[in-house]
Amino acid sequence: MKQLKHALLIVGILFSSYSIGQVGPVLSKEEAIEETLSNNFGIEIAGNDLEIADNNQGILNSGYLPRLTGNAGANYNVEDQEVVLRDGSENNVEGAETERYNASLNLNYTLFDGLGRWYTYKRLKEEYNLTELQVRQTIETTTLQLFSVYYEVARITENVAVLKQTYNNTRDRLTRAEYSFEYGQVNKLEVLNAEVDLVTDSINLMNARQQLRNTKRDLTVVLNSDLDRNFEVDTTVSFIGELQLENFVRTADTNNVRLLQAQKNISITNYDYKASRSIFLPTIGLSGSYGWNQGNFPVTSFATSSTTTGYSAGVSLTWNLFDGGSGITNVKNLRIQQDSQELLLQQITLEVNRDIANAQGNYENLLEVFRLQEQNVTTAQNNYDRSQERYKLGQITSVELRQAQINLLNAKTNKNLAKYEAKLAELELLQLTGQLLNVDF
């Protein structure tokens, strides 16, 4: 008996020291979002992809700028030469040296390529827009993941408070039972039941606190923060009004990120198809150069040296009349891909509408469950309060009081679960309607 009381006293001291020493600053929802956007690895990688897409859509990757190249060279030859002149005389030179030097700047510019680069440039713009949508999808998914863990921390935090209150109530009951036993008002069974219940409540509280520490570490991973960071979370939850939510659902077809991505893919395929048709048109190019050439020749040559400098320019027209059929095949395949993208958009539209209908139904159901659980807590609290009064008067046993206590504990923890499940269902619905990043949490 004394050992059990000593163990329970130690547990109580540990609970008290934990609750005093572990309280940290409150990490608000806004701060959690800000940290996630700044530090989350997935979002940073998505941001890098967006930078790459931005580089690809720039003028330097458009094909509209000319090509400028510089060339330089030198040649040195040593030859034995036998030269027969027109008058019949011969000239033999052993080790005749010839030196040639050249340098030039060459400019090439495609004036017209059948509009291929124009449509390619527009495709790159659409690919950048698509990458923006992919970044937005990453942010939405990460935000939903953040709040899944954040609200789990909040739920367990509230459960810990409920379990702590249950533990305190049981401890008070044990104290009363011990006094009553000393004065002969109750038998030993009342004390033993209270001790067993207190151990059970102690274990439940210890497990919940360990679960809370683990879940907080899960949250720091999403935040890319210190694993041992000490903080509390905001346990207040507010729901969006019904009218506002209905408006979000009605406009989901213009805001859902999956639908927007499918539409961008159609645009990209269309531009690819139009660019591929450039094979049916000629290519017109401009070229120009500025060059310098110098040569030093042996005595067998008509000139001992020569130097030339000057400009040159030209226009070229290239028309690939037939490339073996690969170009035509590519055009046909891209036309089929256009049809496939249109079909894919129809499929995604159907899936998104289904997902929104399911998410809306789940949210409304869970919200109603939460309201019922709130009423259940009120009922269970009243039942427990009356049971305590009857227990003090000796009208019910400790077992009946314990059952009322367990009913109250279950009602409160079920209410906490229902509250956060309803909120997460609302966030999932907001994500599907494309409004997750446009509302206050």
Side-chain angles (χ1 to χ4, degrees):
M1 176 69 69
K2 292 182 178 180
Q3 291 179 347
L4 180 58
K5 290 181 179 179
H6 182 65
L8 293 174
L9 178 61
I10 293 176
V11 171
I13 294 173
L14 290 175
F15 286 164
S16 300
S17 62
Y18 178 89
S19 60
I20 294 173
Q22 296 296 322
V23 174
V26 175
L27 176 67
S28 68
K29 303 178 184 70
E30 292 75 14
E31 291 172 340
I33 293 174
E34 183 178 352
E35 288 189 30
T36 301
L37 294 178
S38 301
N39 303 326
N40 183 267
F41 290 120
I43 293 179
E44 287 189 23
I45 293 173
N48 291 338
D49 292 339
L50 185 61
E51 287 188 28
I52 293 174
D54 189 27
N55 293 334
N56 289 338
Q57 71 157 350
I59 188 66
L60 296 178
N61 194 43
S62 65
Y64 278 101
L65 298 180
R67 295 175 179 269
L68 182 64
T69 58
N71 297 317
N75 290 294
Y76 176 76
N77 295 329
V78 178
E79 303 170 320
D80 294 335
Q81 296 182 352
E82 294 182 3
V83 179
V84 178
L85 302 179
R86 291 183 180 276
D87 59 2
S89 61
E90 296 183 0
N91 190 1
N92 297 325
V93 179
E94 294 183 357
E97 298 180 351
T98 304
E99 301 175 1
R100 292 185 176 86
Y101 306 95
N102 65 84
S104 65
L105 286 175
N106 303 293
L107 181 71
N108 293 281
Y109 182 70
T110 301
L111 188 64
F112 178 76
D113 68 343
L115 297 178
R117 64 181 173 181
W118 165 249
Y119 290 119
T120 299
Y121 181 63
K122 293 177 74 67
R123 175 179 60 81
L124 293 173
K125 292 289 185 182
E126 289 298 318
E127 287 183 348
Y128 173 79
N129 295 333
L130 176 62
T131 306
E132 278 190 322
L133 292 172
Q134 291 169 346
V135 172
R136 173 188 153 188
Q137 186 176 36
T138 299
I139 294 175
E140 287 182 354
T141 302
T142 305
T143 301
L144 197 59
Q145 178 189 9
L146 165 68
F147 280 106
S148 296
V149 184
Y150 186 95
Y151 285 134
E152 181 65 6
V153 174
R155 183 185 72 84
I156 299 174
T157 299
E158 291 195 277
N159 283 354
V160 167
V162 172
L163 290 168
K164 184 177 180 181
Q165 182 62 47
T166 302
Y167 170 83
N168 291 335
N169 291 337
T170 305
R171 185 180 58 187
D172 294 341
R173 184 182 122 214
L174 174 59
T175 302
R176 284 196 307 269
E178 289 176 336
Y179 285 138
S180 298
F181 175 72
E182 290 178 1
Y183 289 102
Q185 296 176 351
V186 297
N187 57 30
K188 189 63 176 178
L189 184 60
E190 294 291 333
V191 177
L192 295 176
N193 286 337
E195 288 178 348
V196 171
D197 293 340
L198 187 60
V199 171
T200 300
D201 293 342
S202 301
I203 294 173
N204 291 337
L205 185 55
M206 292 171 61
N207 290 337
R209 281 176 166 161
Q210 181 59 44
Q211 185 184 10
L212 178 59
R213 288 191 287 270
N214 294 342
T215 310
K216 282 186 176 182
R217 292 190 186 99
D218 293 338
L219 182 57
T220 59
V221 171
V222 180
L223 299 173
N224 189 17
S225 181
D226 184 9
L227 287 177
D228 296 325
R229 177 179 178 180
N230 186 25
F231 61 91
E232 305 298 322
V233 296
D234 184 7
T235 59
T236 59
V237 170
S238 59
F239 296 96
I240 295 177
E242 182 178 351
L243 293 178
Q244 186 179 12
L245 202 57
E246 285 292 339
N247 183 57
F248 289 161
V249 172
R250 284 195 300 270
T251 59
D253 57 338
T254 59
N255 294 306
N256 179 272
V257 69
R258 285 190 65 198
L259 290 175
L260 294 177
Q261 286 179 346
Q263 293 166 4
K264 290 299 178 185
N265 283 325
I266 290 177
S267 298
I268 290 171
T269 305
N270 287 340
Y271 287 132
D272 278 336
Y273 171 70
K274 292 178 180 179
S276 69
R277 292 175 60 85
S278 64
I279 64 167
F280 300 126
L281 297 175
T283 299
I284 301 175
L286 299 178
S287 62
S289 67
Y290 175 76
W292 168 81
N293 293 274
Q294 179 179 323
N296 298 317
F297 311 110
V299 295
T300 55
S301 177
F302 290 103
T304 58
S305 66
S306 69
T307 301
T308 60
T309 57
Y311 300 91
S312 65
V315 179
S316 64
L317 185 146
T318 303
W319 200 332
N320 190 359
L321 298 178
F322 185 67
D323 63 353
S326 61
I328 296 175
T329 301
N330 186 47
V331 172
K332 290 181 178 179
N333 290 340
L334 287 172
R335 184 69 188 87
I336 297 173
Q337 288 183 19
Q338 279 185 310
D339 295 336
S340 297
Q341 289 295 334
E342 293 286 351
L343 293 172
L344 185 59
L345 175 60
Q346 296 178 28
Q347 178 184 354
I348 293 176
T349 301
L350 185 62
E351 292 175 351
V352 167
N353 290 336
R354 176 207 61 194
D355 293 342
I356 290 176
N358 291 343
Q360 187 174 15
N362 291 338
Y363 168 66
E364 293 173 351
N365 181 70
L366 289 171
L367 190 60
E368 185 61 28
V369 170
F370 169 57
R371 290 167 181 164
L372 292 174
Q373 291 290 0
E374 284 184 313
Q375 298 174 10
N376 193 36
V377 168
T378 301
T379 303
Q381 184 68 57
N382 292 334
N383 180 58
Y384 177 69
D385 293 339
R386 294 186 63 183
S387 297
Q388 272 192 317
E389 295 174 0
R390 296 183 63 190
Y391 176 72
K392 293 176 182 177
L393 296 174
Q395 297 177 352
I396 62 173
T397 64
S398 60
V399 175
E400 293 173 301
L401 177 62
R402 179 62 175 178
Q403 186 59 51
Q405 186 183 32
I406 292 175
N407 291 340
L408 178 59
L409 172 64
N410 292 337
K412 287 184 176 180
T413 54
N414 288 337
K415 185 206 74 172
N416 294 337
L417 178 62
K419 177 172 70 172
Y420 293 111
E421 283 186 339
K423 186 59 181 178
L424 288 176
E426 180 188 77
L427 295 182
E428 291 175 0
L429 180 58
L430 289 173
Q431 181 189 26
L432 290 170
T433 59
Q435 299 294 338
L436 181 61
L437 305 179
N438 300 328
V439 297
D440 296 328
F441 296 99

